Amino acid sequence: MNTILEAKELTKFTGDKESGQILKSVNLQVSEGEFVSIMGPSGSGKSTLLYNISGMDKATKGHVKLDGQEITLLPEKELSRLRLNEMGFIFQQIHLLKNLSIFDNIVLSAYLAENNSRELINKRAIELMEKTGILSLKDHDITQASGGQLQRVAICRALINQPKIVFADEPTGALNSKAAAEIMELLIEFNQTGTAILLVTHDLKVAAKTERVLYMLDGNLVGEKKLGKYQLNKNDLREREELLSRWLAKMDF
Amino acid sequence: MLIKILRRDLRKKKSITSVLFLFVFLAAILAASGTGMISKLFQSMDYLFTKAETPHFVQMHAGEINKQEIEDWAMNHPFVSKQQTVEMLNIDGTKLLLGNKQEPEINSVMDISFVKQNEAFDYLLDLENELIQLSSGEIAVPVYYMVRDQLQIGDEVSIINGNERITFTISHFLRDSLMNPSMVHSKRFLVSDEDYQLLKVHIKESEYLIEFLLKDIEQLNNFSQSYQESPLPSGGPTLDYQTFKILNGLTEGVLAVTIIFISLLLIVIAVLCLRLTILATLEEDYREIGVMKAIGINQAYMKKIYMSKYVVIAATASLFGYLMSLWFSPLFTRNMATYLGLVPRNIVDYGTPFVAAFLIFIFCLVCCRMTLRKFNHISTVEALRAGKTGRISKGQGNFPIHKNRFVPINLLLAIKDLFSRGRMYLLLFVVYIICTFIMIVPVNFLNTIQSSSFINYMGIGKSDLRIDLQQSEDMSARFGDILTYIEKDADVEKFTSLVVKRLKVAGSDGRLENMNVETGDMSLFPLEYLKGNIPNKENEIALSYLNSEELNKDVGDILQLEVNGEMKDLIVSGIYQDITNGGRTAKAIFPTDHEQAIWYVISLNLVNDVDVSEKIKEYTKVFHPAKVTDIKGYLAETLGGTIEQLRLLTIIAIVITLGISILISTLFVKMIVAKDSSQNAILRSIGFSLRDIQGQYVMRLLIVLFAAILSGTILANTVGQNFVSALWSMLGAARIEFVINPVHAYLLCPFLLLIAVTVTTLISTNSIANNKISEMNAD
């Protein structure tokens, strides 16, 4: 498998060097179509790593390559273009545009990218909504949907431009366990269509469904557990969770 | 705690704070200066009137009087404290030479008279407001002429009477509490008693001022009535103390009121900005307010936190505005100092502007308090549920973007925002309209006054050339020569000659007044009339707008004019606009001799292929010293000074307009960017570049600006045109129609506003780069 995302010695300081080093020379690789999760205690730097590796925030030192292209030195405009076409984002909080309808929130970035006609974009948005079970909300405002439904909207938005990689920061963190499980199933489905996913989570049940789990502590990636691809409808989830639980116990989680 | 929050808030929102400060500061300066001027005006007027011992009642009279009879009546009248009868020797302006100016006062509408210093009251004062005493050969000249002609002590004033010339040296400039203002068309020159006797021998025309000083000014109305009922002279207008006050106060008063009006405009903008900023802040802090309410923090205390910032801004801005107004005060009162003299600074001079600035402060506070009443409507639960991004705004359903196939997405988002937050943009729209109006009106008027069609407002028809022959010893002979030359000139297509005479007209109060009347054939170069037509019959006369107003005559009315020594009844045939000669002219076709002619005008058109400039050269040489000009030259010569002043005013208006649009755009954009921080972070996270988002803001503001420019331009060309006409009606042109230079009005001015708004928006939106979704999540 080709490497889609590669971070080398990624370092981030805020304030003084002693207390403010959030990332300490982090190295990381994500392959095409891979589903990787990052776990770790609060304040370990998981989200910071996600934002720095995706170019959303600027790292102090180090390099990031996306599909072989160095992105740390790219100007803002090109970085935006890259975020638009090659990356998708899903957040814990529902970051949707409040003055747009649900459908408009989904198609917005595709209209900006102009890779397809607006008719085709609308068609793809409807497909995605159908897949995620929110087609009935097409003409609704975002105030008329539940948290779980809005997270599905965010997934549709992240996938509308068919990105190579999706970054997800605690996508199930604000949802109940049933909604969280449904969201994870959707992500697994989309991952199986070839989209790589890098996900940050606290939740063992979520991480157990990913292919590889990285453990972060004090700004360092200190461990890695390969679980292999999780097949939906295959009854090995409990086994994966136990395996991961034991490993995390070893990591003092 | 409060100071800490305040400091942090002021630091965080420097630009918004600065703009709010600036608006309140400017409003405070102007309000304090305007009220300061009014207070100074009243004090200075009182000071001058006290020093001059201004009469309470004056009856002007032209004709014989019996001094003894007046004195006896006054002595027996219970209200009268003092009485005097002042004789004034009147001369025609054409006989007066002032300073280095060699030309007589031909174009002036002033009635000029010579007097000696009064003995009992109504003193003529010098620039220190002290009584003037003159020696023989000295003259004291009214400040009006000092300012107009920049006269100096030591300059000469000559009176030409036939072949005689009497020359005086200016030793003082005088303040005359009765006739000081430029709008009073009589001016008194003071000479020594001996010189007065000498002048009396040469000047036969005289007029009297029968003046009374009352024991109690409250009795003025009763006294006036008793004078009217008496058999005493009344061949002229009556004036009283209140009239003198109004006349003296009007010019400065109008300026002060204008300044206060501008300050009100600014304070309205400032208050709208305050309201907008407070609402935006409340929306930004919506969740925090909910949290504070939830944990039981007293609502009054929360309001205090929010109020404190605006109290500090309004208080410092008002205070600095007040202090600055004290520093500016000499600039605003310069004209007043010349005409009235200033009383030494006192507590009132400091107190009045302070009260004005304080009222500005209070007004800001009241508006803030009223806006903060919104606090009461914030429900704790709703606020907590709405979360960090504030209340969900209405209008998601308006203008769905997926229904549009072609419009670029950034423009779509800009339009959508305008639809969903229209009310917020209203402030910007209104201010941009004001800016466009303030910019376009002077630009259009400047273009109008510079265009050749402005001749319509100068009481003359359009012709290729104009020859003005002013008074000289052999004027009529020269006039004849010129006519003979022109008649033989094959280059001349058509011409007409007009004689201007100064004739006596019976005023509305029956008193005879001077009026310049142009006689001759006016049909060749016709003029546009406001009402009626040109005089076609010998018993008809057309009046300039100001004359018709002052004489209270309309088309069809009868006017009495003294022609060749006889009073003649003439019918008013038409009213035209004329700003020359103080706006007081008339046109008639009755036959006339050249006896009282004060100048001649010949208007002519040349045949097609003749070079006008060459012809001007030829005529200037041949007809010397007559003035030969084409229409443009005539306009430039007559209106040159006004055009220069107007050009300066236009530049100032443009600078102020651009300044206000930059300030308001900065404030608005900074505020809206702060409000939209989370939305912008989301846009950036899904691939919108800084440029894209900045572009959306620029588009939003430009759409508002375009709409405002359109509305402002329409207003400028309608309301603005009427406003200019109303102002210029005081000078004689009551219906001005703008001649618009489309490049200036429709391209250049909008372009300047466009550049100012675009650059300001781009600079003010740079901070969007700091809106990071990572920080939003960290919150």
Side-chain angles (χ1 to χ4, degrees), chain B residues 6 17 48 87 103 138 184 188 192 211 256 287 301 343 365 368 397 463 567 615 644 650 708 724 731 736 739:
Chain B
L6 193 67
T17 309
L48 175 73
E87 187 186 23
E103 287 173 16
E138 290 180 341
V184 174
R188 293 193 283 188
S192 68
E211 303 180 337
R287 190 167 150 226
Y301 181 73
V343 281
L365 284 202
C368 288
S463 64
M567 287 311 279
K615 205 67 186 170
E644 276 316 305
T650 309
V724 170
L731 297 173
I736 288 178
V739 176

PDB file of all heavy atoms in Angstrom, chain B residues 6 17 48 87 103 138 184 188 192 211 256 287 301 343 365 368 397 463 567 615 644 650 708 724 731 736 739:
ATOM      1  N   LEU B   6     -12.400  44.971  31.811  1.00  0.00           N
ATOM      2  CA  LEU B   6     -12.424  46.134  30.936  1.00  0.00           C
ATOM      3  C   LEU B   6     -11.148  46.232  30.109  1.00  0.00           C
ATOM      4  O   LEU B   6     -11.179  46.375  28.885  1.00  0.00           O
ATOM      5  CB  LEU B   6     -12.573  47.379  31.811  1.00  0.00           C
ATOM      6  CG  LEU B   6     -12.922  48.659  31.107  1.00  0.00           C
ATOM      7  CD1 LEU B   6     -14.324  48.548  30.552  1.00  0.00           C
ATOM      8  CD2 LEU B   6     -12.873  49.818  32.095  1.00  0.00           C
ATOM      9  N   THR B  17     -12.963  49.681  19.324  1.00  0.00           N
ATOM     10  CA  THR B  17     -12.939  50.703  20.376  1.00  0.00           C
ATOM     11  C   THR B  17     -12.484  52.044  19.803  1.00  0.00           C
ATOM     12  O   THR B  17     -13.075  53.080  20.095  1.00  0.00           O
ATOM     13  CB  THR B  17     -11.981  50.264  21.503  1.00  0.00           C
ATOM     14  OG1 THR B  17     -12.331  48.940  21.877  1.00  0.00           O
ATOM     15  CG2 THR B  17     -12.069  51.168  22.697  1.00  0.00           C
ATOM     16  N   LEU B  48     -20.480  94.189  22.723  1.00  0.00           N
ATOM     17  CA  LEU B  48     -20.407  95.238  21.700  1.00  0.00           C
ATOM     18  C   LEU B  48     -21.575  96.217  21.850  1.00  0.00           C
ATOM     19  O   LEU B  48     -21.393  97.436  21.802  1.00  0.00           O
ATOM     20  CB  LEU B  48     -20.437  94.600  20.300  1.00  0.00           C
ATOM     21  CG  LEU B  48     -20.478  95.581  19.125  1.00  0.00           C
ATOM     22  CD1 LEU B  48     -19.119  96.266  18.956  1.00  0.00           C
ATOM     23  CD2 LEU B  48     -20.848  94.888  17.825  1.00  0.00           C
ATOM     24  N   GLU B  87     -27.360 112.365  11.182  1.00  0.00           N
ATOM     25  CA  GLU B  87     -27.425 112.640   9.746  1.00  0.00           C
ATOM     26  C   GLU B  87     -26.358 111.808   9.036  1.00  0.00           C
ATOM     27  O   GLU B  87     -25.219 111.708   9.509  1.00  0.00           O
ATOM     28  CB  GLU B  87     -27.190 114.130   9.486  1.00  0.00           C
ATOM     29  CG  GLU B  87     -27.411 114.499   8.038  1.00  0.00           C
ATOM     30  CD  GLU B  87     -27.025 115.953   7.754  1.00  0.00           C
ATOM     31  OE1 GLU B  87     -26.214 116.515   8.532  1.00  0.00           O
ATOM     32  OE2 GLU B  87     -27.521 116.505   6.776  1.00  0.00           O
ATOM     33  N   GLU B 103     -10.659 100.647  -9.099  1.00  0.00           N
ATOM     34  CA  GLU B 103     -12.020 100.630  -9.632  1.00  0.00           C
ATOM     35  C   GLU B 103     -13.016 101.081  -8.580  1.00  0.00           C
ATOM     36  O   GLU B 103     -12.912 100.703  -7.424  1.00  0.00           O
ATOM     37  CB  GLU B 103     -12.388  99.217 -10.083  1.00  0.00           C
ATOM     38  CG  GLU B 103     -11.689  98.803 -11.346  1.00  0.00           C
ATOM     39  CD  GLU B 103     -11.925  97.351 -11.682  1.00  0.00           C
ATOM     40  OE1 GLU B 103     -12.851  96.756 -11.115  1.00  0.00           O
ATOM     41  OE2 GLU B 103     -11.156  96.829 -12.496  1.00  0.00           O
ATOM     42  N   GLU B 138      -8.413 111.836   8.475  1.00  0.00           N
ATOM     43  CA  GLU B 138      -8.473 110.408   8.813  1.00  0.00           C
ATOM     44  C   GLU B 138      -9.876 109.874   8.564  1.00  0.00           C
ATOM     45  O   GLU B 138     -10.858 110.623   8.614  1.00  0.00           O
ATOM     46  CB  GLU B 138      -8.127 110.200  10.293  1.00  0.00           C
ATOM     47  CG  GLU B 138      -6.660 110.457  10.602  1.00  0.00           C
ATOM     48  CD  GLU B 138      -6.337 110.248  12.067  1.00  0.00           C
ATOM     49  OE1 GLU B 138      -7.271 110.251  12.915  1.00  0.00           O
ATOM     50  OE2 GLU B 138      -5.151 110.090  12.362  1.00  0.00           O
ATOM     51  N   VAL B 184     -26.297  93.394   5.889  1.00  0.00           N
ATOM     52  CA  VAL B 184     -26.958  94.701   5.976  1.00  0.00           C
ATOM     53  C   VAL B 184     -26.377  95.570   4.856  1.00  0.00           C
ATOM     54  O   VAL B 184     -25.159  95.758   4.783  1.00  0.00           O
ATOM     55  CB  VAL B 184     -26.705  95.359   7.355  1.00  0.00           C
ATOM     56  CG1 VAL B 184     -27.270  96.768   7.398  1.00  0.00           C
ATOM     57  CG2 VAL B 184     -27.315  94.506   8.452  1.00  0.00           C
ATOM     58  N   ARG B 188     -21.641 102.566   7.291  1.00  0.00           N
ATOM     59  CA  ARG B 188     -21.288 103.926   7.714  1.00  0.00           C
ATOM     60  C   ARG B 188     -19.769 104.083   7.776  1.00  0.00           C
ATOM     61  O   ARG B 188     -19.096 103.260   8.419  1.00  0.00           O
ATOM     62  CB  ARG B 188     -21.881 104.213   9.103  1.00  0.00           C
ATOM     63  CG  ARG B 188     -23.384 104.278   9.100  1.00  0.00           C
ATOM     64  CD  ARG B 188     -23.929 104.859  10.383  1.00  0.00           C
ATOM     65  NE  ARG B 188     -23.920 103.929  11.498  1.00  0.00           N
ATOM     66  CZ  ARG B 188     -24.487 104.185  12.675  1.00  0.00           C
ATOM     67  NH1 ARG B 188     -25.093 105.346  12.891  1.00  0.00           N
ATOM     68  NH2 ARG B 188     -24.452 103.297  13.644  1.00  0.00           N
ATOM     69  N   SER B 192     -13.867 112.809  10.708  1.00  0.00           N
ATOM     70  CA  SER B 192     -13.835 113.791  11.799  1.00  0.00           C
ATOM     71  C   SER B 192     -14.928 114.855  11.583  1.00  0.00           C
ATOM     72  O   SER B 192     -15.458 114.989  10.468  1.00  0.00           O
ATOM     73  CB  SER B 192     -12.468 114.463  11.845  1.00  0.00           C
ATOM     74  OG  SER B 192     -12.304 115.256  10.695  1.00  0.00           O
ATOM     75  N   GLU B 211     -32.897 108.130  16.428  1.00  0.00           N
ATOM     76  CA  GLU B 211     -32.577 107.033  17.353  1.00  0.00           C
ATOM     77  C   GLU B 211     -33.083 107.309  18.767  1.00  0.00           C
ATOM     78  O   GLU B 211     -33.007 108.443  19.248  1.00  0.00           O
ATOM     79  CB  GLU B 211     -31.060 106.837  17.402  1.00  0.00           C
ATOM     80  CG  GLU B 211     -30.471 106.558  16.040  1.00  0.00           C
ATOM     81  CD  GLU B 211     -28.955 106.348  16.070  1.00  0.00           C
ATOM     82  OE1 GLU B 211     -28.314 106.839  17.043  1.00  0.00           O
ATOM     83  OE2 GLU B 211     -28.425 105.731  15.144  1.00  0.00           O
ATOM     84  N   ALA B 256     -22.752  78.149  13.474  1.00  0.00           N
ATOM     85  CA  ALA B 256     -22.791  77.362  14.711  1.00  0.00           C
ATOM     86  C   ALA B 256     -23.863  76.280  14.629  1.00  0.00           C
ATOM     87  O   ALA B 256     -23.618  75.131  14.988  1.00  0.00           O
ATOM     88  CB  ALA B 256     -23.062  78.275  15.899  1.00  0.00           C
ATOM     89  N   ARG B 287     -23.485  32.605  25.231  1.00  0.00           N
ATOM     90  CA  ARG B 287     -23.388  31.437  26.104  1.00  0.00           C
ATOM     91  C   ARG B 287     -22.857  31.823  27.481  1.00  0.00           C
ATOM     92  O   ARG B 287     -23.354  31.380  28.511  1.00  0.00           O
ATOM     93  CB  ARG B 287     -22.491  30.396  25.447  1.00  0.00           C
ATOM     94  CG  ARG B 287     -22.556  29.092  26.175  1.00  0.00           C
ATOM     95  CD  ARG B 287     -21.918  27.979  25.366  1.00  0.00           C
ATOM     96  NE  ARG B 287     -21.378  27.000  26.280  1.00  0.00           N
ATOM     97  CZ  ARG B 287     -20.183  26.486  26.164  1.00  0.00           C
ATOM     98  NH1 ARG B 287     -19.395  26.881  25.191  1.00  0.00           N
ATOM     99  NH2 ARG B 287     -19.764  25.593  27.023  1.00  0.00           N
ATOM    100  N   TYR B 301     -25.278  43.401  37.835  1.00  0.00           N
ATOM    101  CA  TYR B 301     -23.813  43.386  37.842  1.00  0.00           C
ATOM    102  C   TYR B 301     -23.267  43.081  36.448  1.00  0.00           C
ATOM    103  O   TYR B 301     -22.319  43.710  35.987  1.00  0.00           O
ATOM    104  CB  TYR B 301     -23.313  42.357  38.853  1.00  0.00           C
ATOM    105  CG  TYR B 301     -21.796  42.311  38.937  1.00  0.00           C
ATOM    106  CD1 TYR B 301     -21.092  43.341  39.549  1.00  0.00           C
ATOM    107  CD2 TYR B 301     -21.088  41.259  38.367  1.00  0.00           C
ATOM    108  CE1 TYR B 301     -19.703  43.317  39.608  1.00  0.00           C
ATOM    109  CE2 TYR B 301     -19.703  41.221  38.425  1.00  0.00           C
ATOM    110  CZ  TYR B 301     -19.014  42.257  39.048  1.00  0.00           C
ATOM    111  OH  TYR B 301     -17.642  42.236  39.094  1.00  0.00           O
ATOM    112  N   VAL B 343     -15.354  88.936  24.031  1.00  0.00           N
ATOM    113  CA  VAL B 343     -15.178  89.246  25.461  1.00  0.00           C
ATOM    114  C   VAL B 343     -14.095  88.320  25.990  1.00  0.00           C
ATOM    115  O   VAL B 343     -13.903  87.231  25.463  1.00  0.00           O
ATOM    116  CB  VAL B 343     -16.473  88.997  26.264  1.00  0.00           C
ATOM    117  CG1 VAL B 343     -17.447  90.110  26.087  1.00  0.00           C
ATOM    118  CG2 VAL B 343     -17.097  87.667  25.917  1.00  0.00           C
ATOM    119  N   LEU B 365     -24.771  57.041  26.907  1.00  0.00           N
ATOM    120  CA  LEU B 365     -25.079  56.126  28.013  1.00  0.00           C
ATOM    121  C   LEU B 365     -26.530  55.648  27.956  1.00  0.00           C
ATOM    122  O   LEU B 365     -26.798  54.458  28.119  1.00  0.00           O
ATOM    123  CB  LEU B 365     -24.860  56.818  29.361  1.00  0.00           C
ATOM    124  CG  LEU B 365     -23.415  56.995  29.805  1.00  0.00           C
ATOM    125  CD1 LEU B 365     -23.364  57.181  31.303  1.00  0.00           C
ATOM    126  CD2 LEU B 365     -22.582  55.788  29.415  1.00  0.00           C
ATOM    127  N   CYS B 368     -26.883  53.137  25.278  1.00  0.00           N
ATOM    128  CA  CYS B 368     -26.285  51.859  25.683  1.00  0.00           C
ATOM    129  C   CYS B 368     -27.231  51.128  26.626  1.00  0.00           C
ATOM    130  O   CYS B 368     -27.466  49.934  26.492  1.00  0.00           O
ATOM    131  CB  CYS B 368     -24.961  52.082  26.405  1.00  0.00           C
ATOM    132  SG  CYS B 368     -23.674  52.608  25.307  1.00  0.00           S
ATOM    133  N   GLY B 397     -33.501  29.389   5.332  1.00  0.00           N
ATOM    134  CA  GLY B 397     -34.324  28.972   4.204  1.00  0.00           C
ATOM    135  C   GLY B 397     -34.337  29.964   3.051  1.00  0.00           C
ATOM    136  O   GLY B 397     -34.625  29.597   1.925  1.00  0.00           O
ATOM    137  N   SER B 463     -24.200  84.308 -25.134  1.00  0.00           N
ATOM    138  CA  SER B 463     -23.667  84.929 -26.360  1.00  0.00           C
ATOM    139  C   SER B 463     -22.199  84.545 -26.479  1.00  0.00           C
ATOM    140  O   SER B 463     -21.598  84.081 -25.517  1.00  0.00           O
ATOM    141  CB  SER B 463     -23.817  86.449 -26.272  1.00  0.00           C
ATOM    142  OG  SER B 463     -23.026  86.933 -25.207  1.00  0.00           O
ATOM    143  N   MET B 567     -41.909 109.338 -11.363  1.00  0.00           N
ATOM    144  CA  MET B 567     -42.268 107.987 -10.914  1.00  0.00           C
ATOM    145  C   MET B 567     -43.147 107.360 -11.985  1.00  0.00           C
ATOM    146  O   MET B 567     -44.122 107.969 -12.446  1.00  0.00           O
ATOM    147  CB  MET B 567     -43.031 108.042  -9.585  1.00  0.00           C
ATOM    148  CG  MET B 567     -42.167 108.390  -8.384  1.00  0.00           C
ATOM    149  SD  MET B 567     -40.661 107.446  -8.217  1.00  0.00           S
ATOM    150  CE  MET B 567     -41.272 105.962  -7.477  1.00  0.00           C
ATOM    151  N   LYS B 615     -10.773  87.234 -31.756  1.00  0.00           N
ATOM    152  CA  LYS B 615     -11.679  88.385 -31.711  1.00  0.00           C
ATOM    153  C   LYS B 615     -11.549  89.103 -30.366  1.00  0.00           C
ATOM    154  O   LYS B 615     -11.551  90.327 -30.286  1.00  0.00           O
ATOM    155  CB  LYS B 615     -13.130  87.891 -31.928  1.00  0.00           C
ATOM    156  CG  LYS B 615     -14.026  88.934 -32.489  1.00  0.00           C
ATOM    157  CD  LYS B 615     -13.605  89.275 -33.878  1.00  0.00           C
ATOM    158  CE  LYS B 615     -14.263  90.372 -34.569  1.00  0.00           C
ATOM    159  NZ  LYS B 615     -13.614  90.747 -35.810  1.00  0.00           N
ATOM    160  N   GLU B 644     -13.164  78.764  -6.458  1.00  0.00           N
ATOM    161  CA  GLU B 644     -12.009  78.300  -5.676  1.00  0.00           C
ATOM    162  C   GLU B 644     -12.447  77.798  -4.309  1.00  0.00           C
ATOM    163  O   GLU B 644     -12.022  76.744  -3.845  1.00  0.00           O
ATOM    164  CB  GLU B 644     -10.988  79.439  -5.519  1.00  0.00           C
ATOM    165  CG  GLU B 644     -10.043  79.589  -6.673  1.00  0.00           C
ATOM    166  CD  GLU B 644      -9.484  78.273  -7.182  1.00  0.00           C
ATOM    167  OE1 GLU B 644      -8.915  77.525  -6.373  1.00  0.00           O
ATOM    168  OE2 GLU B 644      -9.657  77.972  -8.377  1.00  0.00           O
ATOM    169  N   THR B 650     -15.356  71.152  -1.759  1.00  0.00           N
ATOM    170  CA  THR B 650     -15.579  69.835  -2.363  1.00  0.00           C
ATOM    171  C   THR B 650     -14.494  68.860  -1.928  1.00  0.00           C
ATOM    172  O   THR B 650     -14.782  67.719  -1.572  1.00  0.00           O
ATOM    173  CB  THR B 650     -15.598  69.959  -3.909  1.00  0.00           C
ATOM    174  OG1 THR B 650     -16.501  70.999  -4.251  1.00  0.00           O
ATOM    175  CG2 THR B 650     -16.018  68.677  -4.571  1.00  0.00           C
ATOM    176  N   ALA B 708     -26.237  51.905  -1.938  1.00  0.00           N
ATOM    177  CA  ALA B 708     -26.213  53.219  -1.276  1.00  0.00           C
ATOM    178  C   ALA B 708     -25.799  54.312  -2.260  1.00  0.00           C
ATOM    179  O   ALA B 708     -26.347  55.415  -2.236  1.00  0.00           O
ATOM    180  CB  ALA B 708     -25.262  53.180  -0.091  1.00  0.00           C
ATOM    181  N   VAL B 724     -29.293  72.926  -2.541  1.00  0.00           N
ATOM    182  CA  VAL B 724     -28.393  73.946  -3.101  1.00  0.00           C
ATOM    183  C   VAL B 724     -29.208  75.143  -3.590  1.00  0.00           C
ATOM    184  O   VAL B 724     -28.842  76.301  -3.368  1.00  0.00           O
ATOM    185  CB  VAL B 724     -27.532  73.345  -4.244  1.00  0.00           C
ATOM    186  CG1 VAL B 724     -26.782  74.428  -4.995  1.00  0.00           C
ATOM    187  CG2 VAL B 724     -26.549  72.331  -3.682  1.00  0.00           C
ATOM    188  N   LEU B 731     -28.774  84.142  -2.556  1.00  0.00           N
ATOM    189  CA  LEU B 731     -27.888  84.951  -3.407  1.00  0.00           C
ATOM    190  C   LEU B 731     -28.575  85.353  -4.705  1.00  0.00           C
ATOM    191  O   LEU B 731     -28.048  86.152  -5.464  1.00  0.00           O
ATOM    192  CB  LEU B 731     -26.620  84.158  -3.734  1.00  0.00           C
ATOM    193  CG  LEU B 731     -25.746  83.789  -2.550  1.00  0.00           C
ATOM    194  CD1 LEU B 731     -24.629  82.874  -3.000  1.00  0.00           C
ATOM    195  CD2 LEU B 731     -25.174  85.044  -1.925  1.00  0.00           C
ATOM    196  N   ILE B 736     -31.721  76.016  -9.131  1.00  0.00           N
ATOM    197  CA  ILE B 736     -30.503  75.568  -9.799  1.00  0.00           C
ATOM    198  C   ILE B 736     -30.691  74.129 -10.272  1.00  0.00           C
ATOM    199  O   ILE B 736     -31.205  73.292  -9.529  1.00  0.00           O
ATOM    200  CB  ILE B 736     -29.300  75.685  -8.835  1.00  0.00           C
ATOM    201  CG1 ILE B 736     -28.957  77.166  -8.661  1.00  0.00           C
ATOM    202  CG2 ILE B 736     -28.102  74.896  -9.334  1.00  0.00           C
ATOM    203  CD1 ILE B 736     -27.836  77.447  -7.720  1.00  0.00           C
ATOM    204  N   VAL B 739     -25.616  70.556 -13.477  1.00  0.00           N
ATOM    205  CA  VAL B 739     -25.018  70.083 -14.718  1.00  0.00           C
ATOM    206  C   VAL B 739     -24.034  69.013 -14.277  1.00  0.00           C
ATOM    207  O   VAL B 739     -23.073  69.302 -13.568  1.00  0.00           O
ATOM    208  CB  VAL B 739     -24.272  71.215 -15.451  1.00  0.00           C
ATOM    209  CG1 VAL B 739     -23.581  70.685 -16.697  1.00  0.00           C
ATOM    210  CG2 VAL B 739     -25.234  72.323 -15.795  1.00  0.00           C
TER     211      VAL B 739
END
